[in-house]
Amino acid sequence: MSSVEDYRARLASLQGSWDTLSLLSHLRGDGADMSGTRQAFEGLANDLVHSLSEETYKKAMLALKARGQIAIDVIVRNLFERTADIGFLAIDDDIRDYLRQRRTEGAQLRKLNDRLRGRFREYIGKYSVYHDVVLLDADGAVLVRLDDRHSVERTSHELLKRTLTTRQGYVETFGRIDLLPESDRNLVYSFRVGDGSRVEGVLCLCFRFEDEVAGIFDKLRAEDDWTVFCFLDEHGTVLASSDAWQVSVGAPMPVVLDAGGRIIRFGGREYLAVTCRTQGYQGYMGPGWYGHAMLPIEHAFDSQTGDGANTIPRELLAALRESQTIFSPALRKIPVQADAIQRELNRTVWNGNVRLATSTDTGSDFTKVLLREIGNAGRRTQDTFEHSISELQETVVSSILDDAQLLASLAVDVLDRNLYERANDCRWWALNGALSRHLANGGDRDAGEILRHINSLYTVYHDIVLFDADSRIVAVSNRAHASKVGSTIQEPWVAATLELRDSQQYAVSAFARSDLYGGQHTLIYGAALHNEARRVVGGIGIVFDSAPQFKAMLRDALPRTESGDIVSGCIGLFVDSRMTVIAATSDYEPGDTVDLPRELLSAHGNAPQTVCMNGTHYAVGMRKTSGYREYTGMGAFSLILIPLGEAIERVVRRAETQTHRRAVAQEPMIDIATFYCGQQRLGLQRNDIVEALDGTHIRPIPNAPAWHAGLLMYRESPLPVIDLGQLLHAGPGTEARNVIVVRAVETGQLFGLLVEELADIPEIAVSRILPVGDLNVRGAAILDRAVRPEHAAEPVLMLMNIEQLLIYAGAAGFKLSQPLASVTQLRAAG
């Protein structure tokens, strides 16, 4: 992990500096012993390297697993449709008629063959996922096939026996099959054909396996991606590979079903690897295959950020520093611990500089330089912690953005593939001769029975409706809609359907409310039915069960945890160009408008973005439907929102104070100890200060003013403390944790000032200290002088008047002469 190694090297270098400074401070004996600080930073550095490596590994494995899961789930969804196709095509009247009449000879038989081959050609024209259709007799002889380039006349493959004897609705066969060209990767769906209890033949649909898996792998891999994707059988044998040079088909592969993946050795090389079981679809679990993803170990942790890195605002990264979504608790504690160590170090250095004011030691200049170097070393160390975590945070957020975009692509891919099937179904079912005859002259079969059988195979439909040329409903598949038979459909898609003249054409409704779907939003696909004279006699409308189907597509596209659960707080949406909801996994209903900017839908290059919605920051992936094969798509957009963290308002950390230049010779100088309250930089003369303390153990006083912070034990006595930020209304800031112990000039008594951050103690020319006028706010007399900035970027430094502060506080009951509680009472109070 090169990025982790870089930080380990930097921290090791800093540790050497701490060793030197600790030794010097110890030898100097000035009370600024750095041994504790050195050990604290050393322990924290080890924790940081360990946490960085864990987070880097976890991020790489989760990304790998997500794509492996997508690969297997996409192909299983596709194959689910194939199981329905073969069941319906096997009851096709033209195929059954052929089997009944096939014993004729000569021209009559050739005519029957040509007619059935034309039927198969119509089928492939609509379901282009197949490359061949083969009809066998019960003995395995080839009767008719679409692709007549193959000279095989009979099969001896076991699929024949399995199909004739199975009690299942279909047989799924993968491998070398003598009916097809020499390949170990043929996928065929077969179904027995017959009339009642008599089986007369076997129908085979030959799936474009190579074409399909290549398309899936291509969508999962970028051009510079080293990841290898595979499909494995139940024994771990490679069935398909995205890179045959690294992983060849037929190779035995370790199956890695561990939740977090692991490192494997394959072909003399080490890989991060994960194997994924399918989540299944509509109860169908596929052929028992696994999705497998693996990444060469030398490229697994490349510190490359995706397109999302360019869209992450710096302010967002600062706001997400404490996000529980992005980082583990262990890593989130490191900046807090580093900040605590740095605060203690700052107090140590600050107190060391304060003591120098009264020191007569001839080595004070060396001590001052040593203290300055200790402070600089602390800042460099904390900066290294900050930068390492910030860079990891940027990488993680970028990875989440890229994941959101990948999952949005998955959602539209699944949507396009699904609706491709719906466009195919309506066109094919419109060629059903029994339905056409029923519309033309009443027919001899119950149209409702045919529709119900179709619907039992294709469970994604709420209803299948047959209507005549006058838009009057003739039959329905949904028994609950039987009362609609005889009524007229007034929806626009019906008129569009009745105008179709080509069997390759179809009509589709707008995504709108329909009486055929209980008044809810849905899509209805329609195709025209023709009589023998090619005149339109009606149409078929398939009512998509959109509510559960769209929601299932979105749920399958949401990111998962290591245990397989959907990441909490994620939202999946299908919307139109006006941000109107088509479907959602959250509380949105179809027809609602999402409160997101429409500019999200016109992002350049579909780049991932971030938004803040309902108090939460989200990574947003967006993709517009682009179609699948010849289907052009519905023009919708998928949005995948992954929570990054709560929208917490943070005060941006101030930059370090600029170094003050030395004044010209003989110019009077004064040491000013500086600190921050809210956004104000304040100062006191160094001689007024005793030292700085940790203020986390202040005990509040009941019924005291808000600016009276309470009491702090100091040298076995209770020290009254003023919250300076509250007193001066200094505005929002970070949590105040430092107490400056100040000595009252007249009485010599002590009290504390609660402040946020300790700054530097510069030497300032007396000529730069100027009086200020009435500031028209409370505390105008308390802040009675200012230091003239040397340049525009330097913040104004206001100086405090201790006497005026005590006058104001004393008027409100703040007393120094008498303790507000005895030591015994204070300890008893905890």
Side-chain angles (χ1 to χ4, degrees):
M1 299 178 180
S2 58
S3 60
V4 179
E5 279 296 322
D6 288 345
Y7 279 109
R8 182 157 62 180
R10 289 191 220 177
L11 289 167
S13 175
L14 285 169
Q15 201 62 42
S17 299
W18 278 114
D19 291 342
T20 302
L21 291 171
S22 178
L23 176 63
L24 289 173
S25 64
H26 181 72
L27 292 174
R28 179 65 188 162
D30 55 12
D33 187 357
M34 292 295 102
S35 298
T37 303
R38 180 186 65 81
Q39 292 173 1
F41 273 133
E42 182 178 15
L44 201 57
N46 292 333
D47 291 344
L48 175 64
V49 171
H50 178 72
S51 294
L52 287 177
S53 61
E54 279 194 337
E55 291 287 338
T56 302
Y57 178 83
K58 178 182 175 183
K59 180 183 71 70
M61 287 305 312
L62 284 176
L64 198 62
K65 185 174 183 179
R67 293 193 291 167
Q69 191 69 58
I70 287 171
I72 188 62
D73 286 342
V74 166
I75 197 165
V76 165
R77 273 181 169 271
N78 192 315
L79 299 186
F80 165 77
E81 300 285 351
R82 314 292 65 91
T83 66
D85 290 348
I86 186 63
F88 179 69
L89 187 58
I91 63 168
D92 186 76
D93 284 346
D94 285 354
I95 296 176
R96 288 178 171 182
D97 290 344
Y98 175 86
L99 288 173
R100 283 194 294 266
Q101 304 175 47
R102 68 184 179 88
R103 305 200 189 284
T104 60
E105 298 180 356
Q108 182 66 21
L109 180 59
R110 286 194 296 273
K111 184 177 179 180
L112 286 173
N113 288 346
D114 290 344
R115 179 182 173 186
L116 189 56
R117 191 173 290 111
R119 184 74 169 164
F120 290 167
R121 191 174 297 110
E122 280 272 15
Y123 191 82
I124 296 298
K126 295 163 180 60
Y127 296 89
S128 57
V129 293
Y130 301 110
H131 63 85
D132 201 1
V133 185
V134 184
L135 179 63
L136 308 171
D137 68 13
D139 295 323
V142 176
L143 300 178
V144 181
R145 73 183 305 165
L146 177 62
D147 190 348
D148 55 7
R149 294 175 299 173
H150 307 300
S151 59
V152 178
E153 297 181 355
R154 180 180 297 274
T155 181
S156 58
H157 196 276
E158 64 175 355
L159 76 81
L160 178 67
K161 181 179 179 181
R162 289 175 56 208
T163 307
L164 291 172
T165 58
T166 184
R167 294 184 179 182
Q168 304 298 321
Y170 63 89
V171 169
E172 197 171 40
T173 306
F174 182 82
R176 184 177 291 273
I177 300 173
D178 55 10
L179 285 170
L180 298 171
E182 290 189 5
S183 171
D184 292 329
R185 297 193 290 175
N186 295 302
L187 180 57
V188 172
Y189 289 82
S190 53
F191 202 106
R192 56 190 176 277
V193 184
D195 190 3
S197 60
R198 182 182 175 188
V199 177
E200 299 186 21
V202 169
L203 182 69
C204 301
L205 282 174
C206 306
F207 183 65
R208 295 183 185 273
F209 177 77
E210 303 277 2
D211 183 51
E212 180 64 18
V213 297
I216 293 172
F217 292 156
D218 285 347
K219 286 198 172 185
L220 290 172
R221 295 185 73 195
E223 188 173 338
D224 58 349
D225 192 352
W226 286 87
T227 308
V228 181
F229 297 98
C230 309
F231 290 129
L232 312 179
D233 67 13
E234 64 273 19
H235 305 297
T237 303
V238 176
L239 304 177
S241 168
S242 64
D243 188 340
W245 294 105
Q246 288 193 69
V247 179
S248 59
V249 173
M253 178 67 65
V255 176
V256 186
L257 293 172
D258 314 51
R262 58 184 169 87
I263 297 172
I264 65 170
R265 181 175 294 177
F266 179 83
R269 198 175 191 181
E270 286 186 311
Y271 293 85
L272 286 188
V274 65
T275 307
C276 304
R277 293 185 176 93
T278 179
Q279 300 175 74
Y281 182 63
Q282 303 256 332
Y284 171 71
M285 300 304 292
W289 298 346
Y290 297 114
H292 184 82
M294 51 198 290
L295 185 57
I297 200 77
E298 64 268 28
H299 298 289
F301 310 107
D302 290 346
S303 56
Q304 298 176 350
T305 54
D307 294 337
N310 300 323
T311 65
I312 308 172
R314 298 290 103 187
E315 299 80 8
L316 174 61
L317 289 176
L320 294 177
R321 178 57 54 87
E322 298 170 10
S323 170
Q324 298 182 16
T325 305
I326 298 177
F327 287 145
S328 65
L331 193 55
R332 289 201 311 274
K333 282 196 294 188
I334 288 177
V336 177
Q337 292 172 315
D339 191 51
I341 296 171
Q342 184 61 38
R343 280 199 311 273
E344 187 61 39
L345 177 65
N346 288 344
R347 277 194 294 270
T348 301
V349 173
W350 209 75
N351 289 335
N353 278 304
V354 167
R355 284 192 294 272
L356 285 176
T358 57
S359 174
T360 58
D361 187 355
T362 56
S364 60
D365 286 343
F366 173 80
T367 301
K368 186 179 293 186
V369 172
L370 176 60
L371 289 170
R372 184 171 65 246
E373 288 305 312
I374 289 172
N376 290 338
R379 282 189 290 273
R380 287 196 306 272
T381 303
Q382 190 174 26
D383 283 347
T384 301
F385 284 111
E386 292 279 338
H387 289 159
S388 64
I389 292 176
S390 293
E391 285 187 13
L392 178 62
Q393 184 186 36
E394 181 174 326
T395 302
V396 170
V397 173
S398 173
S399 175
I400 294 172
L401 284 166
D402 292 340
D403 287 347
Q405 190 66 8
L406 173 68
L407 295 170
S409 299
L410 168 65
V412 297
D413 187 38
V414 170
L415 177 65
D416 283 337
R417 287 166 176 268
N418 195 298
L419 298 185
Y420 159 84
E421 303 289 347
R422 312 297 63 93
N424 295 344
D425 291 347
C426 70
R427 291 180 294 163
W428 178 249
W429 299 340
L431 297 178
N432 186 285
L435 294 178
S436 298
R437 288 190 293 272
H438 187 88
L439 289 176
N441 51 33
D444 56 358
R445 292 180 62 188
D446 180 8
E449 179 186 343
I450 297 173
L451 298 182
R452 283 191 292 275
H453 179 72
I454 296 173
N455 212 161
S456 70
L457 295 171
Y458 295 82
T459 55
V460 297
Y461 298 114
H462 176 73
D463 200 358
I464 303 174
V465 181
L466 185 68
F467 53 91
D468 63 18
D470 296 322
S471 305
R472 184 174 57 88
I473 296 177
V474 174
V476 295
S477 68
N478 190 334
R479 294 181 188 275
H481 291 175
S483 61
K484 296 182 182 295
V485 174
S487 62
T488 301
I489 308 175
Q490 303 293 338
E491 297 175 12
W493 64 270
V494 176
T497 299
L498 294 174
E499 291 177 359
L500 300 175
R501 295 295 179 266
D502 191 320
S503 66
Q504 286 296 99
Q505 295 177 315
Y506 65 92
V508 60
S509 72
F511 184 73
R513 298 182 186 277
S514 172
D515 289 339
L516 297 173
Y517 196 54
Q520 300 180 65
H521 287 73
T522 190
L523 292 172
I524 303 178
Y525 285 79
L529 279 76
H530 302 80
N531 60 13
E532 293 183 357
R534 305 304 301 160
R535 183 173 64 86
V536 174
V537 293
I540 189 169
I542 55 178
V543 184
F544 187 51
D545 195 5
S546 61
Q549 294 299 323
F550 282 154
K551 185 166 287 191
M553 295 177 203
L554 289 170
R555 283 181 60 83
D556 286 350
L558 293 180
R560 305 269 168 171
T561 63
E562 292 182 41
S563 60
D565 299 322
I566 293 174
V567 173
S568 178
C570 291
I571 300 172
L573 295 162
F574 288 135
V575 299
D576 65 15
S577 59
R578 297 183 299 276
M579 278 291 180
T580 303
V581 174
I582 295 171
T585 59
S586 59
D587 295 332
Y588 291 102
E589 295 294 333
D592 291 347
T593 300
V594 183
D595 187 20
L596 288 173
R598 293 188 186 179
E599 289 74 17
L600 277 175
L601 304 181
S602 57
H604 178 68
N606 294 327
Q609 302 174 71
T610 59
V611 297
C612 185
M613 186 173 68
N614 300 326
T616 301
H617 290 290
Y618 290 92
V620 183
M622 183 279 296
R623 183 70 72 181
K624 184 178 181 180
T625 56
S626 57
Y628 173 67
R629 296 185 180 271
E630 61 274 12
Y631 175 71
T632 57
M634 68 177 292
F637 299 82
S638 71
L639 294 173
I640 299 296
L641 283 72
I642 304 176
L644 297 172
E646 293 183 15
I648 302 173
E649 185 176 347
R650 289 176 56 92
V651 176
V652 178
R653 186 181 178 88
R654 288 175 289 267
E656 292 294 331
T657 305
Q658 296 289 330
T659 303
H660 294 264
R661 63 176 176 82
R662 282 267 178 197
V664 296
Q666 306 302 320
E667 186 174 4
M669 307 291 291
I670 187 172
D671 289 335
I672 300 295
T674 66
F675 48 89
Y676 282 97
C677 282
Q679 296 301 301
Q680 284 190 304
R681 182 171 176 240
L682 307 175
L684 284 168
Q685 289 192 43
R686 186 170 64 172
N687 295 341
D688 294 335
I689 296 172
V690 178
E691 64 178 312
L693 307 172
D694 182 357
T696 56
H697 299 295
I698 296 175
R699 296 292 184 264
I701 301 293
N703 302 318
W707 51 263
H708 194 333
L711 300 171
L712 179 68
M713 288 302 299
Y714 177 64
R715 298 179 183 176
E716 297 298 322
S717 298
L719 182 76
V721 179
I722 293 172
D723 187 334
L724 202 54
Q726 288 277 354
L727 184 70
L728 300 177
H729 292 310
T734 57
E735 184 180 355
R737 296 176 179 173
N738 295 285
V739 172
I740 300 174
V741 181
V742 181
R743 181 182 294 105
V745 177
E746 295 183 358
T747 65
Q749 290 180 291
L750 305 179
F751 66 99
L753 297 176
L754 182 62
V755 303
E756 293 172 19
E757 297 180 32
L758 302 174
D760 55 354
I761 305 181
E763 288 183 332
I764 294 176
V766 173
S767 61
R768 291 178 57 205
I769 300 176
L770 307 174
V772 296
D774 184 6
L775 300 179
N776 296 316
V777 294
R778 183 201 295 181
I782 298 173
L783 306 177
D784 62 348
R785 292 169 296 163
V787 176
R788 185 183 70 247
E790 292 187 307
H791 48 78
E794 184 179 345
V796 175
L797 172 60
M798 303 294 296
L799 303 186
M800 294 182 59
N801 187 316
I802 295 297
E803 289 76 11
Q804 290 296 326
L805 172 65
L806 291 177
I807 290 172
Y808 177 84
F814 185 83
K815 299 182 182 300
L816 298 180
S817 57
Q818 297 177 359
L820 298 181
S822 69
V823 175
T824 303
Q825 290 173 327
L826 188 64
R827 286 175 175 168

